[in-house]
Amino acid sequence: MRKFIHSDFELDLSAYQITDNEENPWLSGNYFTKYSYPFTMELTDATDAMLNMIGNYNAAGAETIFEGIYVDGDTLEQAVLEIGEIEKTVSLTLRYGLDDFPNFGKKLSELPLLLQEVDDIYEHAAEVITKQWPEVNYNFPQVHIDKIDTDESEVWYAFNKIINNYINGAFLVNDVDIETEETFNRNIMQPLPYLLYIIKAGIEAAGFTLHGDILSDPVLQKTLLYADCEYYTSISQDSLELMALSDQYDSITNVGIQGYSMTLTRQLEITQPGKYRITGSIYLRTFSQSPSVWSKIYYRDQLIGEKTIQDTASHYRTWNVDIVFETLDDGQPDFLLFDLFARYLEDEIIFDIQVNPIILHDVEGNIIPSILNLNQVNIPRAVPEMTFGELIKAVLAMKNMYMEKNGTQVSINYIQTQLLTAAVRDLSEFEVRFPKRKFNKGNSFLLKYQDANSDVYTYAEVFQNYEGSVTAGYTRDDKTTDIEINALPLPLLFRSGVQTAHGFLEDKSKPFFVLYNGLVGGLNLSVDPSQLLIPYLHENYHKQWLEKRINSQTFTWTFKAHYEKLIGLTARSRIHAYTNIHLVKNYQKTQVAPDQYEVEIESVVL
């Protein structure tokens, strides 16, 4: 029995000759491991209705991808049914495999990651830095950053370009000197989640439990995830400016021989409570028809400054404003009102005012710095802008691992371990006399981090072919396979008396890895990331595997078999055939009779 079950329909596929194809991701690097070749179906009225009237000529925006369950005998798989071409018949394709794993398409920030309030973020972080995973799911190591320009900055001049800055047994605190009214933004408190915590959370959120080698990998156990994000909360109020010309008057009155008088009122909104200084100039032109001209400044309805000039001659007068005021802490809207009555002359500047913050308040009236480290741990805010599937693929490529579902369990293991321990399936009864054989000695591989190099740092790559492996002086060709890892371990930098990870690259979508092994000399410093660099990864996780692939030969043969003979056979099976042990590379099967399949096996003798 073969069918596709969608929430709105059920499609019986028993009458169609569908070729299912399954690839071994160990050898292909493709995580859409299973798919069918396109098959055609007559577009009847019933089929057209089931597929949302796809036969309509104006169906450009119609649904062509349907998520559901693919049933093949006793096997049920989450799958996607995709409509391709359409004439009198409709061409359909089934896709299923790891890329359809629940949560693979979710952004990391959309996962149910930790968000909790703490009494004091500085004290909380001081407790956490003494612990490691799995006792804690995040940590606060120091990281050098370059993305904030501290030169000539009123906001950041006290910042030493280190997040989670910890000195003499305490984290540096952002505060305000009340006497000098000077703000010191010294620190950004950013939690770095453990990589294993993120992976485990994503798996469990899909209803599975995580198992396998990944949980006992000593390097991954101390790997933290740094994201290039603005984790801090800024409440800084930009300087406000008020510029107005006489032509922007509210009203104008003819006063006789000296022309016109004018009135002008302008309002400035203040969004952040605090203490402010108003400076600048207001220009007043006197005239004989009025005994006085004037300008007034109000905070809400309270007069905080005024200038009245009594002069019956026609003169220019300037009010050089310098007023300090403090907002009320009552939750009501804050604003300044500038009012003026004077002689009108065309194209003259009337208001040239700046309003600058001195110190800022919270809603309760407490003096606060302009950069806040909130008393909370917000992991969804501290992760890169990437999907869960992209992160999983980066880790699998880095450690040469594979991911497998079995019921409600997900296992992530080393390929090399599975290669030596997996059971062997005997397919010798299906051998053909002349299988197609292909030798792979001309193949080569390039292991590297994706988009890694900069003007400051160079990350070594490793090229491997039948002659061995090198990090320089190699030549790629059309038989070279790139193994790219979309992540990057941060290098160590000694600066400002501290040697720790350096977040030198600005990329909000890339996961940066930081190794943290607890306090170093009483400080929360990261450690040497060499165990995450390509030469080490290649030597310990990739070299032997790639040697086997280069020195291998590929067998391809076709045979017919009954369904029960194929139960349990997958594209990752180890099989015995032609007096040797093979690893299946590609597995195709087409149902040619109710209980019989035509099978094509492509396998590799390693």
Side-chain angles (χ1 to χ4, degrees):
M1 180 62 178
R2 188 192 295 246
K3 58 184 175 180
F4 178 78
I5 303 173
H6 184 262
S7 58
D8 294 332
F9 62 85
E10 183 173 308
L11 185 60
D12 188 352
L13 302 174
S14 301
Y16 299 93
Q17 195 171 77
I18 300 174
T19 298
D20 290 318
N21 192 79
E22 184 177 351
E23 296 179 354
N24 189 336
W26 304 358
L27 300 167
S28 70
N30 178 20
Y31 291 90
F32 256 130
T33 58
K34 304 174 186 178
Y35 55 90
S36 74
Y37 287 121
F39 60 96
T40 59
M41 176 183 297
E42 185 179 352
L43 191 60
T44 64
D45 290 343
T47 305
D48 196 18
M50 182 174 59
L51 298 177
N52 295 330
M53 308 306 292
I54 193 66
N56 189 310
Y57 294 139
N58 297 314
E63 187 175 4
T64 59
I65 296 178
F66 301 89
E67 296 184 1
I69 303 295
Y70 178 40
V71 180
D72 183 9
D74 297 329
T75 303
L76 282 73
E77 299 249 23
Q78 289 183 328
V80 170
L81 179 70
E82 183 172 357
I83 299 174
E85 298 178 353
I86 183 169
E87 290 183 82
K88 290 182 180 180
T89 59
V90 58
S91 175
L92 301 169
T93 302
L94 284 160
R95 294 184 287 113
Y96 43 109
L98 266 186
D99 269 341
D100 289 322
F101 182 83
N103 290 340
F104 255 44
K106 278 191 176 182
K107 294 285 189 181
L108 293 183
S109 58
E110 296 172 347
L111 297 175
L113 302 176
L114 181 69
L115 172 57
Q116 71 173 28
E117 302 295 321
V118 297
D119 292 334
D120 184 287
I121 189 62
Y122 301 104
E123 294 179 3
H124 175 74
E127 295 177 5
V128 170
I129 58 175
T130 64
K131 303 173 183 178
Q132 293 176 267
W133 191 86
E135 187 178 0
V136 290
N137 293 321
Y138 53 89
N139 228 303
F140 294 86
Q142 298 191 50
V143 178
H144 293 293
I145 62 172
D146 298 328
K147 62 184 179 181
I148 293 177
D149 185 7
T150 59
D151 296 335
E152 300 180 3
S153 171
E154 294 181 359
V155 175
W156 293 106
Y157 70 93
F159 183 63
N160 205 26
K161 293 188 176 183
I162 302 175
I163 69 169
N164 301 324
N165 201 342
Y166 183 82
I167 298 175
N168 297 326
F171 283 97
L172 297 187
V173 175
N174 298 344
D175 58 19
V176 179
D177 187 319
I178 298 177
E179 292 185 4
T180 63
E181 298 181 334
E182 190 172 5
T183 298
F184 298 94
N185 295 311
R186 303 181 179 92
N187 210 351
I188 296 172
M189 299 298 295
Q190 179 175 332
L192 276 62
Y194 279 94
L195 177 61
L196 289 180
Y197 162 66
I198 299 292
I199 294 174
K200 194 167 179 286
I203 297 294
E204 291 177 352
F208 297 84
T209 56
L210 180 62
H211 304 267
D213 298 330
I214 191 169
L215 293 174
S216 58
D217 185 294
V219 177
L220 294 183
Q221 286 180 344
K222 56 186 177 184
T223 300
L224 294 166
L225 189 60
Y226 168 73
D228 172 31
C229 63
E230 289 189 3
Y231 185 82
Y232 58 87
T233 296
S234 173
I235 63 159
S236 57
Q237 167 71 64
D238 293 333
S239 296
L240 302 173
E241 293 186 356
L242 173 62
M243 178 71 73
L245 300 177
S246 57
D247 290 346
Q248 298 168 321
Y249 58 79
D250 294 324
S251 67
I252 188 170
T253 302
N254 190 330
V255 295
I257 191 170
Q258 288 193 341
Y260 296 86
S261 65
M262 62 175 288
T263 61
L264 181 63
T265 301
R266 289 293 181 269
Q267 183 170 303
L268 284 181
E269 303 295 331
I270 299 173
T271 58
Q272 181 62 49
K275 188 175 185 179
Y276 291 83
R277 170 171 277 115
I278 307 171
T279 58
S281 300
I282 296 176
Y283 301 95
L284 298 161
R285 182 71 180 264
T286 63
F287 57 103
S288 59
Q289 278 78 5
S290 176
S292 65
V293 295
W294 50 263
S295 181
K296 298 178 182 180
I297 302 174
Y298 296 86
Y299 164 64
R300 297 185 185 175
D301 58 357
Q302 176 187 351
L303 180 67
I304 58 174
E306 65 176 322
K307 183 75 170 180
T308 299
I309 299 172
Q310 295 181 339
D311 192 337
T312 57
S314 178
H315 292 139
Y316 288 99
R317 295 287 188 264
T318 301
W319 178 15
N320 294 313
V321 180
D322 190 350
I323 299 170
V324 174
F325 74 98
E326 200 159 2
T327 61
L328 299 175
D329 303 316
D330 57 6
Q332 298 300 311
D334 290 313
F335 60 90
L336 293 170
L337 196 67
F338 296 82
D339 207 359
L340 174 139
F341 170 77
R343 181 184 180 188
Y344 168 80
L345 283 180
E346 188 176 6
D347 293 332
E348 287 191 337
I349 295 175
I350 302 299
F351 292 144
D352 185 6
I353 294 293
Q354 297 81 41
V355 181
N356 296 294
I358 300 173
I359 54 176
L360 300 176
H361 297 170
D362 62 18
V363 294
E364 297 175 350
N366 301 311
I367 295 175
I368 54 174
S370 55
I371 301 298
L372 287 182
N373 291 309
L374 301 179
N375 292 322
Q376 66 174 208
V377 177
N378 190 340
I379 301 301
R381 191 175 175 182
V383 292
E385 296 174 1
M386 68 186 308
T387 66
F388 180 59
E390 289 169 337
L391 180 64
I392 289 289
K393 291 174 188 178
V395 175
L396 296 182
M398 182 174 69
K399 287 287 188 171
N400 198 28
M401 289 177 156
Y402 75 97
M403 179 176 175
E404 187 172 38
K405 290 187 293 184
N406 184 13
T408 59
Q409 294 187 352
V410 169
S411 297
I412 300 181
N413 292 303
Y414 302 117
I415 290 176
Q416 188 69 22
T417 302
Q418 179 68 9
L419 188 66
L420 298 174
T421 60
V424 177
R425 180 78 171 269
D426 187 5
L427 292 186
S428 57
E429 65 176 293
F430 301 111
E431 294 174 0
V432 298
R433 186 174 181 185
F434 296 110
K436 180 181 177 180
R437 295 166 63 201
K438 177 185 175 183
F439 298 93
N440 300 312
K441 215 169 189 70
N443 292 347
S444 58
F445 298 88
L446 180 61
L447 181 64
K448 63 179 182 178
Y449 280 111
Q450 180 178 311
D451 302 326
N453 296 326
S454 70
D455 296 336
V456 181
Y457 298 102
T458 299
Y459 284 75
E461 304 171 344
V462 175
F463 176 84
Q464 184 172 345
N465 61 10
Y466 72 94
E467 295 178 315
S469 55
V470 294
T471 57
Y474 55 84
T475 302
R476 297 179 79 262
D477 58 29
D478 58 357
K479 289 188 175 182
T480 301
T481 298
D482 287 348
I483 304 173
E484 285 192 315
I485 306 168
N486 183 24
L488 202 63
L490 293 182
L492 295 183
L493 171 68
F494 183 81
R495 187 170 72 189
S496 301
V498 173
Q499 179 169 281
T500 193
H502 182 201
F504 69 97
L505 192 62
E506 293 186 38
D507 188 340
K508 296 185 183 302
S509 64
K510 188 179 289 290
F512 298 101
F513 295 150
V514 173
L515 293 187
Y516 183 70
N517 201 29
L519 297 178
V520 178
L523 295 177
N524 54 330
L525 307 179
S526 65
V527 296
D528 181 11
S530 59
Q531 290 178 305
L532 292 176
L533 297 180
I534 294 298
Y536 182 91
L537 295 173
H538 173 264
E539 182 67 30
N540 290 275
Y541 302 102
H542 293 268
K543 183 178 180 180
Q544 291 184 14
W545 168 244
L546 297 180
E547 282 178 352
K548 294 179 188 296
R549 293 180 64 178
I550 291 169
N551 293 306
S552 68
Q553 60 173 308
T554 302
F555 281 68
T556 304
W557 78 102
T558 303
F559 58 90
K560 291 183 178 179
H562 290 289
Y563 173 75
E564 60 269 15
K565 291 285 188 178
L566 303 176
I567 295 174
L569 182 64
T570 73
R572 282 196 293 267
S573 294
R574 286 206 307 166
I575 61 174
H576 179 267
Y578 301 102
T579 69
N580 219 323
I581 304 298
H582 302 232
L583 179 64
V584 175
K585 180 180 181 181
N586 192 281
Y587 170 39
Q588 275 182 30
K589 67 181 188 341
T590 305
Q591 191 170 9
V592 295
D595 191 39
Q596 191 176 49
Y597 288 82
E598 183 176 87
V599 177
E600 181 180 282
I601 294 285
E602 183 181 2
S603 63
V604 179
V605 178
L606 296 172

